[in-house]
Amino acid sequence: MGASLLEVRDLAIEIADWEPVKDVSFEVAGGECVAIVGETGSGKTLTCRAITGMLRRRGGSVVRGSARFDGIDLLTLTERQWLEVRGRRISLVPQSSMAGLDPIMRVGRQLEETIRFIAPADDPRKRARELLDHVHMARADEVLRLYPHELSGGMRQRIMIAFALVGRPELIVADEPTTALDVTLQRNILRLLKELQAETALSVILVTHDLGVVEEVADSVTIMYAGRVVEAGPAAKVLGAPAHPYTCALLAARPLTVGPGEELLAIPGLPPGPADRASGCPFAPRCARAQARCDEAVPQLETVDDLPGHLAACWLARSGDDAA
Amino acid sequence: MTLLEALGVEVTYPGQAVPALHPLDLVVEEGAAIGIVGESGSGKTTLGRALIGALSPSGGEVRVQGRSWSEIRRTDPQRRSVQMIFQDPYSSLNPHMTARQTVAEAIRHWYGVTRGESRRRAEQLLADVGLPGAAIDRRPDRLSGGQCQRVGIARALACEPRVLVADEPTSSLDVSVQAQILNLLRSLRRTRALALVVISHDLGVIRYLTDRAVVMRSGAVVEQGETERIFAAPRHPYTRALVDAIPGRTGFARALEPAPRAMDPNP
């Protein structure tokens, strides 16, 4: 794993007088797969939009922070400058694989058009076939002649990954790439991402709500709750010895983790919405271990157990407190 | 006592050459909890629809306490003894009705009680399923996904069913909310002596809620048995593939295998 390719510092996003993303920081090293985990409204998708230059289309704006990618501050790029970065150095694999495809144009023509625009090749058709091969699409020639609606969900998701690879990017941002897929297909797509990452030293940001997926493919993980990072670190460490009560609760809420007859430990209540503007830790109202100070001030991310890289934002996870 | 029974149920949709469901038998006894597992296109939702009488099978029949759906009239009590909750709780509710109105309507429809009485009972049911008091006069657009699912469950319970068919009851919910709904379904099974039929692609959900499970693929059953046994020692290769594909169970991050090729482009 190389030096930091992307470094996001204190990113805050505002939409209509509300800050759905507050002071988010994380890093992605060259060749690393970083998972961003969060539930609906945690700010994970907005964060991805900010680092792919697609935030303005959603009416949001960055109010604080920086996102440095190989020396470029992504947050200050103009739309024209983004054309040099998006698709060429950073690609997005969207959640809904249908959204990115033109329904009335054959897949092959769309892919060739993208190749001509992003990374012209002598023979765009040959390059398109190569890309489908790269994502392990069987019968590539046949698939290139199909329309988007003729593709199965798994095929569509492979095609979207092929599109993302056109410009040979250094970073792929995949927003819930497998959420709509069956488990066996999900496994294949995750494997593919992992394989591409290993083969081409590609960095991947994988947005997901599934901790099982994190366990399978991520090197490190950033857990978000209500627009803030609550825990981050090496995936094995965060999942194996979680320090934040929210991470603990997410792990305990997975039905597969309990034995026969045991009860799931559900997290009571709901994540805060735009109207909730508490002054303390955003998770405190649902936290089984909350104390008076949790309602008073927001805890900052701090190193857990003196292990560099494992961070948690919890008053109780600090040294001297029982964090188990 | 047998509450619900599928006898050689077969479904072929109009204009389709291949049946969506090959002849299949299924028995739901009192208090049982049965899981139907499968991926997209396995026929599990078609089976669910046949079980609740929303779809007439092309062959065979579904019997509710011994009577075929085709003989049961709209007003027969057997009609209400099988209820369903849905994958997308938001779109399964009437957007113009509050939580309380939704449940009260079901009560009035079946029991012909006064408006006041139905409202009072609805309030009680919504409290039983854990809907916060502040939410009971809200319409679906002001409820969270988990709250909408609670309203859907209360509406089903309003009919005092014996069998609850749950089609992907937690697929659209966040992890932290999913566990709340799973626990609610489990406790309802106990407190209301409900039999459950849970349809899901999520083996974790099936394992948590059911005692027996049926694994389906391409409209046919490939394996059935005790849920725990199916997890611990799957017999059919397809079941084994499904169990192995659960993320986080095996962790292939370390042992890289070549990714298999995409499925046939012309299924």
Side-chain angles (χ1 to χ4, degrees):
Chain A
M1 227 145 281
S4 192
L5 178 68
L6 172 71
E7 192 176 342
V8 176
R9 282 280 153 262
D10 304 318
L11 174 69
I13 295 170
E14 194 180 84
I15 291 180
D17 200 26
W18 174 45
E19 263 185 32
V21 173
K22 303 175 189 77
D23 311 319
V24 166
S25 301
F26 64 94
E27 280 178 35
V28 183
E32 187 185 24
C33 176
V34 175
I36 300 183
V37 177
E39 299 183 88
T40 311
S42 63
K44 57 189 196 303
T45 296
L46 284 172
T47 301
C48 287
R49 293 201 154 260
I51 58 176
T52 48
M54 299 191 359
L55 191 58
R56 265 161 286 185
R57 301 181 190 184
R58 285 290 172 93
S61 58
V62 172
V63 287
R64 285 191 304 281
S66 65
R68 300 197 75 78
F69 174 81
D70 191 26
I72 310 166
D73 189 349
L74 298 175
L75 304 182
T76 60
L77 295 184
T78 62
E79 200 48 52
R80 180 170 279 275
Q81 288 168 319
W82 262 114
L83 293 178
E84 294 303 314
V85 177
R86 196 189 301 120
R88 294 181 164 86
R89 307 198 62 192
I90 302 177
S91 288
L92 181 77
V93 178
Q95 177 168 3
S96 158
S97 52
M98 212 46 183
L101 294 170
D102 183 334
I104 55 164
M105 202 192 283
R106 292 180 200 273
V107 171
R109 230 185 106 201
Q110 293 187 53
L111 196 51
E112 284 167 43
E113 209 166 69
T114 308
I115 291 166
R116 280 194 201 96
F117 183 68
I118 300 264
D122 294 340
D123 185 351
R125 170 124 300 211
K126 187 168 147 252
R127 172 75 179 134
R129 217 163 32 229
E130 249 170 49
L131 281 162
L132 288 201
D133 231 34
H134 214 42
V135 298
H136 299 293
M137 181 76 81
R139 298 153 75 177
D141 287 315
E142 218 167 296
V143 173
L144 288 171
R145 281 195 299 272
L146 297 176
Y147 287 98
H149 74 269
E150 297 175 293
L151 303 169
S152 70
M155 290 166 70
R156 247 181 250 144
Q157 206 50 273
R158 274 177 211 265
I159 298 267
M160 291 318 289
I161 295 172
F163 271 93
L165 292 173
V166 166
R168 300 188 177 86
E170 293 132 90
L171 173 67
I172 281 191
V173 180
D175 189 1
E176 305 256 15
T178 62
T179 300
L181 301 180
D182 284 325
V183 279
T184 49
L185 284 176
Q186 162 171 301
R187 188 179 178 79
N188 296 347
I189 296 291
L190 291 176
R191 255 190 211 169
L192 173 65
L193 278 175
K194 196 72 199 162
E195 199 184 292
L196 293 171
Q197 188 206 332
E199 272 174 14
T200 58
L202 181 72
S203 301
V204 176
I205 294 177
L206 180 71
V207 178
T208 179
H209 62 273
D210 188 335
L211 292 171
V213 168
V214 176
E215 211 172 322
E216 297 249 325
V217 296
D219 301 304
S220 55
V221 57
T222 292
I223 313 249
M224 291 184 66
Y225 184 79
R228 291 177 193 276
V229 174
V230 294
E231 184 161 2
K237 194 75 198 161
V238 172
L239 300 185
H244 197 284
Y246 177 60
T247 315
C248 301
L250 275 186
L251 284 163
R254 292 197 294 166
L256 276 169
T257 55
V258 300
E262 280 177 57
E263 193 84 349
L264 269 182
L265 294 170
I267 310 176
L270 298 168
D276 301 294
R277 300 185 185 202
S279 53
C281 168
F283 187 60
R286 304 175 73 190
C287 182
R289 290 164 43 209
Q291 300 175 353
R293 64 177 156 168
C294 300
D295 292 326
E296 285 157 15
V298 179
Q300 299 303 308
L301 272 178
E302 286 192 12
T303 306
V304 182
D305 296 333
D306 301 324
L307 180 87
H310 187 183
L311 304 165
C314 175
W315 293 114
L316 306 167
R318 309 212 157 175
S319 52
D321 285 308
D322 171 27
Chain B
M1 176 182 168
T2 301
L3 296 178
L4 189 61
E5 196 174 10
L7 294 166
V9 167
E10 186 183 354
V11 176
T12 304
Y13 286 111
Q16 298 289 317
V18 183
L21 201 61
H22 295 283
L24 175 149
D25 296 319
L26 186 77
V27 177
V28 183
E29 301 280 349
E30 212 167 344
I34 294 173
I36 298 171
V37 198
E39 298 190 292
S40 316
S42 63
K44 59 188 193 305
T45 294
T46 298
L47 174 59
R49 287 167 54 82
L51 286 176
I52 64 161
L55 178 154
S56 314
S58 350
E61 58 175 5
V62 174
R63 287 189 185 160
V64 185
Q65 290 159 57
R67 285 179 69 195
S68 169
W69 271 124
S70 57
E71 301 160 16
I72 297 171
R73 290 147 45 95
R74 287 194 74 82
T75 48
D76 287 345
Q78 275 100 345
R79 184 97 228 167
R80 60 173 174 79
S81 71
V82 181
Q83 291 295 319
M84 192 173 204
I85 59 170
F86 302 90
Q87 173 166 7
D88 180 354
Y90 177 76
S91 64
S92 74
L93 297 175
N94 182 335
H96 301 292
M97 288 167 82
T98 66
R100 191 208 307 253
Q101 287 167 345
T102 298
V103 179
E105 186 195 44
I107 294 168
R108 268 202 310 281
H109 175 79
W110 281 110
Y111 301 98
V113 296
T114 63
R115 195 162 282 269
E117 172 65 11
S118 69
R119 283 171 62 86
R120 196 195 54 74
R121 278 203 222 169
E123 208 169 303
Q124 182 59 49
L125 272 169
L126 288 164
D128 290 350
V129 299
L131 191 79
I136 80 167
D137 289 316
R138 288 191 192 153
R139 293 187 179 86
D141 62 341
R142 294 198 51 225
L143 298 172
S144 68
Q147 288 172 341
C148 285
Q149 194 56 291
R150 288 179 200 274
V151 176
I153 293 171
R155 177 178 56 187
L157 294 178
C159 311
E160 299 181 305
R162 309 287 305 275
V163 183
L164 185 63
V165 180
D167 188 3
E168 301 278 10
T170 59
S171 299
S172 62
L173 304 177
D174 276 320
V175 187
S176 74
V177 178
Q178 172 176 344
Q180 296 174 6
I181 298 297
L182 293 178
N183 281 342
L184 173 63
L185 288 173
R186 227 196 210 188
S187 82
L188 290 173
R189 183 187 167 197
R190 251 192 336 262
T191 55
R192 300 194 177 237
L194 264 181
L196 286 181
V197 177
V198 182
I199 299 168
S200 183
H201 71 283
D202 186 330
L203 290 118
V205 167
I206 296 288
R207 175 165 171 254
Y208 190 65
L209 290 178
T210 70
D211 306 325
R212 290 184 59 76
V214 175
V215 182
M216 295 187 63
R217 184 187 199 183
S218 309
V221 173
V222 297
E223 178 163 358
Q224 54 182 313
E226 266 179 49
T227 307
E228 274 306 316
R229 201 275 301 153
I230 286 180
F231 264 83
R235 285 178 192 147
H236 193 281
Y238 178 69
T239 317
R240 207 168 308 133
L242 272 186
V243 172
D244 284 345
I246 300 171
R249 266 179 77 89
T250 44
F252 53 72
R254 288 154 294 279
L256 257 180
E257 305 157 53
R261 305 188 79 86
M263 306 222 324
D264 195 76
N266 299 309

